[in-house]
Amino acid sequence: MSRRTTFPAAAFLPPTPVRELTADSTHGTRLHIEVHGPEGAPAVVLAHGWTCSTAFWAPVVRALTADHRVILYDQRGHGRTPATGPGGYGTDALADDLEAVLGAALAPGERAVLVGHSMGGMTLLAAAGRAVLQERAAAVLLCSTGSSRLLREALVLPLPWAGARYRAHRALLGSRAPLGPVTPLARRVLRYVTMGPGADPGAVDACARIVHACPRTVRARWAHVLAELDLDGRAARLAVPAAVIVGTADRLTPPVHARRLAAALPHCTGLTELPGIGHMTPVEAPETVIGAIRELVRERLTGAGPEAGSVGTTDIGTTGAATGPGGRGSTDAGSDAGSEAASVLPGNASAAGSASVPTSASVPRDASVAGTSVPGTAGGAMGRGGDGLTPPPRE
């Protein structure tokens, strides 16, 4: 299990964006977009996962905004992006929304590093064959995600037969039952389903409030899309440099998915497995995710190349410098929350015991990853509730 890291509560409070935009997408969807950080800085675009929102990215945003322009948006039906009708849910809709965000938030001809967590990673895969991804993506980072067989290989209900696991997970995750208030029991359930056993209590609480704020109808409709997900063919068409991160304790998208992706991607720059970390990698291990983003920006966007001590372009697990949430240059610098959180993720923070695999060529489709460590190698307001995380209730 990974060494437990404790963060102050301020690390999970969404910072205030520099500006907010909307973008029109298919099915009449108006997407809520937030921009953080200085104009003219290298661009990073963040796509969150199922039942989450821009608030999920708070630790990552706080760390990157000193020297990056961070663009993030609410997937349709999540956060401040309204839900659509029953026909507005599907992988093509995810790709449509990403294309709309890139068109609205990036300057003509501008490229960015694109980062997707869970359903956000599936969003990047869904858009793989589109010209806009080739034109706009300098590189991508896929966190805790997969391309197919999600419910058959999930381990939330560890039944011995794939068919039984599929049916049980479909009934559980696709339920329209209300989640209710965030109670101690609700936190324990969320930790079990989505996080590692050593997850920081503040991270658990923040994720519980974000997930419980997702409308139950939206939650169920997207769950049914994910139940039948098949993006294997599109993963093979993602022809930009791509890095993959997964936690070994991920019950929703176990490491088998990451290994399969690493083998299928045409230009996989590395696979990192984080011991003891669950599904919520950007919140549970923000230092590793931040380091990987910075490495991709340096190598693939700004042309600065790897930092001293990193191993070529294949080593993304443990040396990317990570400025802590609310660190120097943050858009809300000077606030008590920001200054308190600044010490959380010091520069060159690392995840103990992470394992990095060099290229897709070295990862057979069903092979396990050796546990060797390789040296060298995180918003926005969600319709502000009283805690900065919970939006007004809606269905």
Side-chain angles (χ1 to χ4, degrees):
M1 183 188 302
S2 287
R3 181 177 55 197
R4 179 165 174 165
T5 303
T6 300
F7 304 103
F12 306 106
L13 292 177
T16 302
V18 173
R19 58 194 176 101
E20 300 180 344
L21 310 170
T22 58
D24 293 326
S25 186
T26 53
H27 309 99
T29 301
R30 290 183 63 80
L31 298 158
H32 171 72
I33 306 170
E34 298 172 6
V35 182
H36 300 255
E39 290 295 327
V44 175
V45 178
L46 307 177
H48 69 74
W50 175 59
T51 73
C52 291
S53 70
T54 58
F56 175 80
W57 292 107
V60 175
V61 174
R62 286 183 175 278
L64 289 178
T65 50
D67 49 4
H68 295 74
R69 191 167 90 262
V70 184
I71 298 157
L72 56 163
Y73 68 103
D74 284 320
Q75 301 267 22
R76 58 177 63 193
H78 296 76
R80 292 167 67 181
T81 296
T84 59
Y89 298 85
T91 55
D92 285 339
L94 293 175
D96 291 340
D97 293 351
L98 176 65
E99 188 166 351
V101 169
L102 298 180
L106 297 179
E110 184 181 16
R111 303 175 77 209
V113 168
L114 312 186
V115 184
H117 170 258
S118 191
M119 193 174 79
M122 298 161 201
T123 300
L124 304 187
L125 297 176
R130 301 195 180 193
V132 67
L133 201 77
Q134 291 295 113
E135 296 165 0
R136 297 299 195 135
V140 305
L141 177 62
L142 302 170
C143 300
S144 312
T145 193
S147 58
S148 66
R149 299 192 283 280
L150 299 181
L151 300 191
R152 284 175 171 80
E153 293 175 339
L155 300 174
V156 177
L157 302 172
L159 301 174
W161 301 283
R165 283 198 305 274
Y166 169 83
R167 290 189 294 274
H169 285 126
R170 185 180 176 94
L172 174 67
L173 302 178
S175 170
R176 292 175 182 252
L179 296 181
V182 178
T183 63
L185 175 61
R187 292 186 189 94
R188 289 197 294 273
V189 170
L190 180 118
R191 183 199 297 269
Y192 170 80
V193 173
T194 71
M195 306 180 87
D200 174 74
V204 175
D205 183 67
C207 287
R209 284 183 281 159
I210 291 167
V211 169
H212 280 236
C214 182
R216 57 182 176 171
T217 299
V218 171
R219 185 182 77 232
R221 285 176 176 165
W222 279 119
H224 294 147
V225 171
L226 300 180
E228 308 305 326
L229 188 80
D230 186 356
L231 295 173
D232 291 345
R234 300 199 201 182
R237 299 173 66 189
L238 188 63
V240 299
V244 184
I245 290 177
V246 69
T248 63
D250 188 338
R251 291 186 171 93
L252 287 173
T253 52
V256 62
H257 293 286
R259 297 166 191 163
R260 191 179 296 125
L261 275 176
L265 293 168
H267 193 176
C268 182
T269 65
L271 165 60
T272 301
E273 296 195 1
L274 303 176
I277 298 298
H279 185 66
M280 303 300 213
T281 44
V283 173
E284 293 183 77
E287 64 275 20
T288 300
V289 173
I290 293 159
I293 294 170
R294 288 184 177 277
E295 191 76 8
L296 289 173
V297 169
R298 280 192 299 269
E299 294 189 5
R300 306 295 176 175
L301 188 58
T302 65
E307 285 192 326
S310 65
V311 182
T313 61
T314 64
D315 186 7
I316 64 168
T318 58
T319 68
T323 307
R328 179 179 58 84
S330 161
T331 57
D332 59 351
S335 70
D336 292 339
S339 59
E340 178 189 7
S343 61
V344 172
L345 299 173
N348 298 317
S350 65
S354 62
S356 183
V357 175
T359 64
S360 58
S362 68
V363 188
R365 184 165 294 274
D366 293 312
S368 62
V369 177
T372 337
S373 282
V374 181
T377 91
M382 253 183 66
R384 302 278 175 181
D387 56 12
L389 291 171
T390 309
R394 60 186 175 81
E395 286 298 328

